[in-house]
Amino acid sequence: MPLGRVSEFATLTAGEREALGALITDTLEYRRRSPIRYEGAPVQHVYLLAKGWVASSMTLKTGARQFFKVHIPGDILGAPSLASVSAVETLTAITDCTIKCIPLSRLGSIFAEYPRVGMSLFISANKERIALMDLLAAVGRLSAIERLARFLIDLHDRLLVVGQTEVSRLPMPMTQEEIADLLGLTAVHVNRMLHELENQSLLHRRGKDFILNLPELQAMNPIASRAYVQEPSWLPPSRG
């Protein structure tokens, strides 16, 4: 069971991992492009993404869709909706995927019985906040090609951490329309920027993969790199 977002700040003990596994009630499979949960639905679970990619999006009253997160294995899905009486996002499978369901009725026990795990989840939630800050800065202040370069680097680095790719290779199952929804661009503009990156030898397409010129792409990204805490001393002691 991938626990990337839960265990990235502190090494979990066998007992803590077992306790997390015990929260799961169901394992569900979804086909590519299938809805997992709609915006406005009752909030009864959070989900652990075990395999595949999932998008979080919201729909405006005009019918326009806005992507705001691409999830990869190890991510927790649906956590923002814990603060709302109904789901604030639609979760959609970008690829065939496997998710593990954690009922809210069980979630509270992990905070009470394993506070170190609960604090790790709290840190992870704040890392998500930083990611959304960076996305807002990118959409508000970066040029189209800078936004795209930053997105490719960020996704590559996240996949690399959880062992889902190799250095410089970025699998890309997303459509240009989906990338455009995330970056606040049009699909035509994304297509043009991808060609521009290729013309500058910053990106090479190999089948469904992008091969990235990471040093040059990183030089295009005006947003500062982030260094995250590891095993912070203020975490509660482990149990089991």
Side-chain angles (χ1 to χ4, degrees), residues 94-169:
I94 295 176
T95 67
D96 292 352
C97 67
T98 303
I99 65 168
K100 296 183 180 291
C101 304
I102 301 175
L104 300 191
S105 59
R106 294 191 176 193
L107 184 63
S109 66
I110 203 73
F111 291 86
E113 298 174 22
Y114 293 90
R116 187 163 164 272
V117 176
M119 285 302 298
S120 294
L121 289 167
F122 177 73
I123 300 171
S124 182
N126 280 279
K127 183 178 179 181
E128 282 291 296
R129 182 176 180 179
I130 293 171
L132 289 174
M133 289 165 55
D134 287 347
L135 179 59
L136 179 60
V139 171
R141 294 296 180 181
L142 271 57
S143 68
I145 199 165
E146 288 172 336
R147 288 185 223 174
L148 182 56
R150 178 203 160 273
F151 165 69
L152 297 175
I153 293 167
D154 178 69
L155 191 51
H156 166 271
D157 290 351
R158 290 172 57 212
L159 289 166
L160 193 64
V161 166
V162 295
Q164 295 291 309
T165 193
E166 302 87 40
V167 174
S168 298
R169 183 179 73 86

Side-chain angles (χ1 to χ4, degrees), residues 1-7 17 48-51 73-75 100 162 164:
M1 183 175 66
L3 296 174
R5 294 309 302 268
V6 183
S7 62
R17 295 178 68 90
L48 177 66
L49 181 56
K51 181 181 178 182
D75 281 1
K100 296 183 180 291
V162 295
Q164 295 291 309

